[in-house]
């Protein structure tokens, strides 16, 4: 059963978490931010799918973590349901607990759940990365003779490992990226201006985020800086989420409309651009929120270094270039109605609404990962990041 809980603020609340006792994935419903902070408890794969599809949980790393938790809770409830059925058919609770379902049935169920969750959104590779990791673990353990119950327990541990790794990866991206900000601060008297797009912040991961991790780390190190957030039409993740989390954390923050970035760069206020990524091809071409490629063009025109910040789980070496990345097309209503609610364009208007675009690698100065910064030529440096 899905249930909700209202909170005062997002401070200290993980974006996505596992409630082991209830067998639930707990998320902050991001469609309600910044007006309400509502925790949503999801305990079926259908609820997980819907939450990912509706962007209640969104951002590449957070989707991956939610999907890993989703694979576990699905297996957990599958097991519980069989135990309840055993009790209902006359067995006592002890017998039901000792009852051992067929591990191959569990694997078949998990494979189905994996395909279902993968179909929720196509562009962020972290989703299929996480479900593959969970499914492969289950298959390997079953091949080694593990029982269904042991596989479910291992999936719980693996979901917790995915959560812990996400936290650690974002922290490491912050450590590797903050010196880029600090180096610019050493060269100027005014605060360093860092522009970001969409939300690659703490709300796109368990904590801290990717593109915002160097901002948070540099800020904690007292590097003078100002964050600039593109509002990010059509769903305003920059305004609703990034501006919220950065300002709540005390980071000096300015919000601007997407069509103002070029003009802002013209004033000299922007020293650096940090964006996240949904999928990075082997050659460095990077899919991220629609508008990112335009920002890269503006950054190039103004000689502002443009960095992508992402965990290595976002690098997809099976895509040779950006042309191999599937770009999600979303509902026209996202463009024609404001915040899913208020209409702001004529009825029946034709709409162009890709959720992402691809920034060509030549526009990218570097890709900040948890293992360090990959520089061009990316074919070589990204492979070393992933495999090294
Ligand atoms: O459609 P969204 O809100 O999931 O898009 C998110 C982005 O494009 C983020 O910038 C991207 O996932 C990187 S998050 C580290």
């Amino acid at each position: 059963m899905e249930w909700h809980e209202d909170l005062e603020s997002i401070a200290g609340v993980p974006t996505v978490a596992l409630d082991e006792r209830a067998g639930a994935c707990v998320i902050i419903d991001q469609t309600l931010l910044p007006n309400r902070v509502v925790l949503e408890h999801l305990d079926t794969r259908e609820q997980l799918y819907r939450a990912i599809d509706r962007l209640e949980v969104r951002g590449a790393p957070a989707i991956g973590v939610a999907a890993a938790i989703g694979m576990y809770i699905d297996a957990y409830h599958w097991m519980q349901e069989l135990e309840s059925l055993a009790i209902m058919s006359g067995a006592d609770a002890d017998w039901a607990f000792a009852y051992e379902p067929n591990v191959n049935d569990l694997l078949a169920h998990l494979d189905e759940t994996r395909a279902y969750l993968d179909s929720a959104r196509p562009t962020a590779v972290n989703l299929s990365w996480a479900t593959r990791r969970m499914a492969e673990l289950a298959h390997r353990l079953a091949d080694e003779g593990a029982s269904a119950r042991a596989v479910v327990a291992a999936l719980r541990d693996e979901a917790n490992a995915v959560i812990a790794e996400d936290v650690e990866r974002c922290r490491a991206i912050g450590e590797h990226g903050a010196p880029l900000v600090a180096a610019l601060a050493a060269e100027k008297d005014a605060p360093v201006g860092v522009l970001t797009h969409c939300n690659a912040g703490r709300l796109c991961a368990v904590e801290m985020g990717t593109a915002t991790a160097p901002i948070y780390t540099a800020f904690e190190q007292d590097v003078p800086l100002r964050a600039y957030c593109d509002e990010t039409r059509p769903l305003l993740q920059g305004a609703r989420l990034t501006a919220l989390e950065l300002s709540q954390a005390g980071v000096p923050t300015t919000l601007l409309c997407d069509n103002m970035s070029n003009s802002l760069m013209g004033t000299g206020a922007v020293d650096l651009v940090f964006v996240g990524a949904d999928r990075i091809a082997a050659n460095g071409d990077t899919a991220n929120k629609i508008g990112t490629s335009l920002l890269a063009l503006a950054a190039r025109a103004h000689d502002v270094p443009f960095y992508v910040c992402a965990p290595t789980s976002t690098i997809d070496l099976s895509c040779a270039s950006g042309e191999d990345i599937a770009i999600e097309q979303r509902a026209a209503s996202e463009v024609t109605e404001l915040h899913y609610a208020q209409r702001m364009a004529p009825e029946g208007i034709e709409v162009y609404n890709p959720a992402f675009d691809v920034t060509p690698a030549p526009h990218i100065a570097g890709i900040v990962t948890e293992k360090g910064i990959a520089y061009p030529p990316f074919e070589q440096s990204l492979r070393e990041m992933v495999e090294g």
Side-chain angles (χ1 to χ4, degrees):
M1 190 189 61
E2 190 176 352
W3 60 280
H4 302 89
E5 189 181 336
D6 271 279
L7 299 179
E8 289 286 304
S9 100
I10 59 169
V13 185
T15 302
V16 52
L18 167 61
D19 179 342
E20 279 188 31
R21 209 173 39 81
C25 177
V26 186
I27 59 163
I28 300 174
D29 180 349
Q30 299 190 33
T31 62
L32 302 176
L33 293 173
N35 302 312
R36 284 177 65 203
V37 181
V38 175
L39 284 189
E40 208 176 347
H41 294 238
L42 313 164
D43 56 17
T44 67
R45 62 186 181 187
E46 288 74 20
Q47 289 169 3
L48 242 301
Y49 179 99
R50 182 171 175 272
I52 293 171
D53 179 51
R54 292 193 68 239
L55 313 194
E56 290 165 18
V57 58
R58 33 80 36 220
I63 297 174
V65 173
I69 296 174
M71 291 287 282
Y72 162 63
I73 59 171
D74 188 54
Y76 170 86
H77 288 291
W78 178 86
M79 177 71 97
Q80 281 220 322
E81 204 169 304
L82 287 180
E83 284 170 0
S84 315
L85 281 176
I87 291 173
M88 272 166 25
S89 65
D92 63 24
D94 284 347
W95 187 87
F97 188 70
Y99 161 70
E100 191 52 68
N102 185 325
V103 74
N104 288 323
D105 291 347
L106 173 61
L107 295 181
H109 181 80
L110 275 173
D111 288 345
E112 202 183 283
T113 301
R114 172 184 174 187
Y116 176 64
L117 290 178
D118 283 356
S119 68
R121 294 192 77 186
T123 304
V125 70
N126 309 58
L127 175 55
S128 54
W129 169 86
T131 56
R132 187 177 63 241
R133 173 170 165 168
M134 299 295 277
E136 283 179 357
L137 173 74
H139 278 271
R140 182 166 52 73
L141 292 176
D143 286 350
E144 289 166 8
S147 67
R149 203 176 295 279
V151 169
V152 174
L155 289 175
R156 179 200 55 219
D157 295 346
E158 195 70 359
N160 280 318
V162 170
I163 294 170
E165 283 169 27
D166 184 77
V167 172
E168 176 49 29
R169 282 180 167 150
C170 290
R171 191 203 58 74
I173 288 170
E175 290 294 323
H176 291 298
L180 297 169
V181 186
L184 287 164
E187 286 170 16
K188 63 185 282 199
D189 291 336
V192 177
V194 185
L195 178 61
T196 187
H197 188 69
C198 191
N199 176 268
R202 55 148 298 190
L203 288 160
C204 86
V206 178
E207 313 174 344
M208 210 170 185
T210 56
T212 54
I215 300 176
Y216 285 127
T217 305
F219 181 67
E220 277 163 21
Q221 295 167 351
D222 293 325
V223 176
L225 61 88
R226 170 161 291 274
Y228 291 97
C229 309
D230 277 355
E231 63 173 356
T232 317
R233 278 280 292 145
L235 294 180
L236 304 178
Q237 289 93 329
R240 294 188 300 106
L241 310 177
T242 314
L244 171 75
E245 63 164 83
L246 286 171
S247 58
Q248 274 201 355
V251 177
T253 302
T254 301
L255 174 65
L256 56 145
C257 299
D258 297 332
N259 51 6
M260 299 168 187
S261 307
N262 184 53
S263 128
L264 181 71
M265 288 186 202
T267 69
V270 180
D271 299 292
L272 198 59
V273 177
F274 282 142
V275 296
D278 287 87
R279 197 182 291 242
I280 302 173
N283 72 345
D285 287 354
T286 295
N288 191 50
K289 179 51 58 188
I290 189 71
T292 305
S293 62
L294 208 51
L295 199 58
L297 284 175
R300 179 163 235 195
H302 291 281
D303 214 12
V304 171
F306 179 96
Y307 284 90
V308 171
C309 304
T312 46
S313 54
T314 307
I315 300 169
D316 184 357
L317 296 179
S318 74
C319 287
S321 77
E323 287 181 9
D324 301 321
I325 301 177
I327 300 293
E328 178 181 8
Q329 299 289 328
R330 293 189 60 89
S333 57
E334 291 183 353
V335 172
T336 56
E337 290 166 26
L338 187 60
H339 296 177
Y340 309 97
Q342 186 183 329
R343 187 148 194 102
M344 46 186 275
E347 289 282 354
I349 188 86
E350 275 204 25
V351 168
Y352 174 66
N353 184 21
F356 302 97
D357 63 17
V358 173
T359 299
H363 294 181
I364 299 172
I367 298 179
V368 186
T369 77
E370 77 278 13
K371 295 184 182 172
I373 304 180
Y375 289 104
F378 290 119
E379 272 89 353
Q380 190 185 327
S381 60
L382 287 178
R383 190 162 291 279
E384 280 167 13
M385 282 286 163
V386 172
E387 292 170 356

